[in-house]
Amino acid sequence: MRRILPGLLLILLSVVATGTLAATPIPAGAESEATPILAEPTVVTPLVTTAPRATDESASPTARSASATATPAASMRPDACEPNDTDAQPCALPLDAVSGPFTFVPEADRDVYVLDLPDDPAIQTVVTVRATAGLDLFLTARQGPTLLASGTISLTLAPAIHGPVLLRVENRDPRPSAGESYRIEVRREIAPRAAGTVDLTGAPDALENNWSFATAATIAVGVVYDLTLVCPEQRPDACPGGDHDYLRVPVKAGVAYRIATFDLDPGVDTVVEVFWQRQDRPVAGNDDYAPGGLLSALTWVAPADGLADIRVAPRNGGLMPQLAEATHAAYRFVVAPVASELARKLDPTLRQQANIPTPTAMVAASPSSSGGATGATGSGSAAGAAVPGSQEQITAGPAIIVRATVLRHEPRPDSTALADLPAETRVAVRGPVRGLWVSIAADASILPGWVLWLDLRRIDPNAPTPQPSTAGAGGASAVPAESPPVQQPSASQSPVAVTTAAAGRPGVQVDVTTLDPALPPPPPAPAARVPVVIAVTIVATDHPPTGGSALGMATPTPDMRQPVRGVRVQIANAFGEVLAEGLTDASGAVRLSRDLRPTEALQVVIPAWGLTIPLASGQTDLILTVPEAHS
């Protein structure tokens, strides 16, 4: 009996083990593994999968739910641009923005994007990708069959490239891309000075010889020119006052233009003047864009269609510029419409090179928040959402439209038009400013919008101002209602306390103080300006005339003087500011006129020869005799 019991126990264990194995289902597609040898360690290596395994329909709902939860579904979800894996289905990317994040789903995916680049010969496009550590990206930019550029981190597209450009992004890392992502940054910026654009051997720029209005070089609007202040003449002392560049540009009536010099070489200091229809008096000019700076920049509105003359001169007091190196005298010059992309890109460059601090971003507060009205938070949120945090802030208050314009939903000329604002329309400046656009509220639109600063003019805040409706999401008005005017006491009354029932503020105590009607005497009127005409004659001779001859007065000395024509003559004040200028005619004479105060000191300046001659009080005629070698 003792021998039979062990045998029965072994049989029973064998039956139980067989039933257990039979009841255990074998997953479909499972590979048979070698039976491990007893008493040896078994190492199981987990497999990395890039896609969830198919769940057996016969499995329990609990098992299927656990399998779905364990799968990293979030990292395997396609990005918002999918499908964009072919050139026929590109995803459009915005300019001057960071887009993403983007992913590669499935593993062999490649992403195709399209950039619509404007035609601007002065602005280049820089494309940069930033990816997580598990990606090795490669970029290519194509326009049709032409390969424009390729790289691993960034691409630079030249200003000449415009129109649709296809951007392809591929992942060359062999590891799985699950959980990895990348972003694309597209920036438009002013193209730097190309190598070899400016000759550093001391040669003049490509627009020379443009030393006068008669020889002015015609340039285009919206193009950056690389120029120099190198004298175009090779003879010694040809430009004692430095090189003066005269430029001529076609303009249109009512268009505001940004005129500026930038990227100056060390030691270069410029002054820019604009002449319109007459060449003896500038209508606009700028020496330093900011105190202590060297570059020049100004905004000028063309009064009519025509050609404007521009003079770029070294600001050196009539002396030869002292530069860091004799061969480095380069600067860049541009004339661009204020509303153009080039002018907007130029503004931060001018601020940086002129050491002007960048305006601090400010968040506009809702005016109704101080009143405690319900919905003020909603109004503030709506206002903040409409204007991003990168804006500037100015003082709010009433304003008037000086010329007919369009109220835009966003600060862009192509934005949705909210309303037409005719001239003399009263509006309210809200405070936010984006570039040259100002945020306003007007009765013509229930929504606030944007207009260009040229179309606005501030008015007296005491004047009656319309109350535009700028209700936010909460229903509260963003502009508080004006209180009824307080009744002012008569002049005979002493200071009193007047109580008014202001709208929403009953019982407000207002202190009114009577002002002294006696006014201080007005300051003396400045001396009236009178027209002054200065006549300058330039002649040349090797033998200056004398008072008489050795043989006696009966034999006069012949006058050997010859008139010198084409010499630029300027009339300047004591500070060196040019008041009028002109060229001598065939008789060597030029007459310059300007309205001046009687006590103002004047001097005659001849820039080509570096001469400055003070005029005596009341002197109106000057004859200069120069050697023929200098004529």
Side-chain angles (χ1 to χ4, degrees):
M1 188 63 181
R2 293 179 179 177
R3 295 179 179 178
I4 296 175
L5 287 177
L8 293 176
L9 184 58
L10 291 175
I11 294 173
L12 182 61
L13 292 176
S14 175
V15 172
V16 172
T18 304
T20 303
L21 293 175
T24 304
I26 300 177
E31 299 179 358
S32 60
E33 300 181 356
T35 303
I37 302 176
L38 297 178
E40 291 187 1
T42 302
V43 179
V44 179
T45 303
L47 299 178
V48 179
T49 60
T50 58
R53 294 179 180 273
T55 306
D56 188 3
E57 295 296 335
S58 62
S60 63
T62 304
R64 290 197 300 268
S65 176
S67 175
T69 303
T71 303
S75 62
M76 303 307 299
R77 187 180 299 114
D79 55 66
C81 272
E82 292 293 347
N84 63 326
D85 54 348
T86 64
D87 294 351
Q89 295 178 308
C91 179
L93 293 180
L95 304 179
D96 288 318
V98 179
S99 304
F102 303 118
T103 59
F104 289 100
V105 177
E107 285 293 331
D109 182 32
R110 74 168 182 177
D111 294 335
V112 182
Y113 305 93
V114 63
L115 302 174
D116 191 6
L117 304 182
D119 184 8
D120 197 319
I123 297 181
Q124 66 182 10
T125 305
V126 179
V127 182
T128 306
V129 293
R130 296 177 176 86
T132 54
L135 296 179
D136 181 14
L137 302 184
F138 185 76
L139 313 177
T140 56
R142 295 180 178 273
Q143 202 167 43
T146 305
L147 177 64
L148 303 177
S150 62
T152 57
I153 298 179
S154 66
L155 302 177
T156 300
L157 303 178
I161 300 174
H162 58 89
V165 174
L166 291 180
L167 178 67
R168 300 177 185 175
V169 182
E170 303 178 24
N171 179 27
R172 296 189 173 183
D173 197 308
R175 295 173 295 179
S177 61
E180 307 291 345
S181 63
Y182 67 95
R183 295 178 182 270
I184 302 178
E185 179 180 4
V186 181
R187 296 297 179 190
R188 299 267 293 169
E189 58 187 32
I190 298 178
R193 183 182 297 160
T197 303
V198 178
D199 192 349
L200 299 182
T201 61
D205 56 67
L207 299 183
E208 296 290 0
N209 189 356
N210 56 336
W211 60 278
S212 66
F213 289 110
T215 60
T218 303
I219 62 175
V221 173
V223 178
V224 177
Y225 289 88
D226 294 296
L227 308 176
T228 67
L229 292 179
V230 176
C231 182
E233 296 292 336
Q234 300 299 325
R235 56 188 175 88
D237 299 329
C239 301
D243 179 36
H244 290 58
D245 291 335
Y246 285 79
L247 309 170
R248 184 163 295 149
V249 57
V251 294
K252 293 185 177 180
V255 177
Y257 294 92
R258 189 67 157 168
I259 305 172
T261 61
F262 62 103
D263 287 351
L264 310 182
D265 276 357
V268 175
D269 188 359
T270 61
V271 57
V272 174
E273 295 172 304
V274 181
F275 297 82
W276 180 255
Q277 293 184 348
R278 54 185 301 177
Q279 301 173 350
D280 59 342
R281 184 183 304 173
V283 296
N286 179 256
D287 181 8
D288 297 326
Y289 182 57
L294 301 178
L295 63 85
S296 306
L298 61 97
T299 300
W300 176 69
V301 180
D305 294 349
L307 296 174
D309 291 322
I310 301 175
R311 178 173 62 197
V312 182
R315 190 59 164 169
N316 47 33
L319 302 177
M320 178 64 71
Q322 301 298 318
L323 306 176
E325 297 183 23
T327 57
H328 291 196
Y331 68 95
R332 309 188 81 188
F333 179 79
V334 64
V335 178
V338 171
S340 65
E341 181 185 13
L342 176 57
R344 294 194 297 269
K345 299 297 182 183
L346 183 63
D347 185 66
T349 301
L350 297 178
R351 288 178 176 270
Q352 178 184 7
Q353 297 183 7
N355 297 322
I356 300 177
T358 302
T360 305
M362 300 179 64
V363 179
S366 173
S368 60
S369 60
S370 60
T374 305
T377 304
S379 296
S381 301
V387 182
S390 60
Q391 65 201 13
E392 302 176 33
Q393 193 81 3
I394 62 174
T395 304
I400 191 170
I401 299 296
V402 296
R403 60 181 180 181
T405 186
V406 177
L407 183 67
R408 301 286 180 182
H409 182 256
E410 295 181 359
R412 301 195 317 270
D414 58 347
S415 178
T416 303
L418 299 178
D420 292 330
L421 301 179
E424 304 301 326
T425 302
R426 292 207 174 188
V427 296
V429 175
R430 303 175 63 242
V433 175
R434 181 101 58 86
L436 298 175
W437 293 82
V438 182
S439 177
I440 66 169
D443 281 340
S445 172
I446 194 172
L447 294 176
W450 300 80
V451 296
L452 284 173
W453 66 278
L454 288 173
D455 302 332
L456 280 176
R457 178 174 57 84
R458 288 189 181 274
I459 58 176
D460 184 3
N462 296 325
T465 306
Q467 298 306 314
S469 175
T470 54
S477 175
V479 179
E482 232 179 62
S483 303
V486 178
Q487 181 179 2
Q488 300 293 340
S490 62
S492 61
Q493 293 178 338
S494 59
V496 294
V498 181
T499 303
T500 70
R505 298 177 297 170
V508 175
Q509 191 81 4
V510 180
D511 294 333
V512 180
T513 303
T514 304
L515 298 179
D516 186 359
L519 298 177
R529 296 176 179 267
V530 296
V532 177
V533 179
I534 306 296
V536 179
T537 304
I538 302 178
V539 294
T541 179
D542 284 336
H543 303 284
T546 60
S549 173
L551 300 178
M553 297 302 296
T555 306
T557 302
D559 190 355
M560 303 298 294
R561 297 179 299 175
Q562 298 294 329
V564 181
R565 64 177 302 174
V567 178
R568 181 156 54 95
V569 180
Q570 299 176 341
I571 299 298
N573 57 17
F575 300 99
E577 298 177 348
V578 178
L579 305 178
E581 68 175 2
L583 300 177
T584 57
D585 55 16
S587 63
V590 61
R591 294 172 60 86
L592 305 176
S593 62
R594 183 69 182 267
D595 293 342
L596 304 172
R597 293 187 176 91
T599 59
E600 190 166 358
L602 302 177
Q603 54 187 358
V604 175
V605 181
I606 302 181
W609 299 338
L611 296 178
T612 300
I613 305 169
L615 294 178
S617 178
Q619 182 181 1
T620 58
D621 294 292
L622 180 65
I623 300 177
L624 300 179
T625 303
V626 297
E628 289 186 358
H630 291 80
S631 62

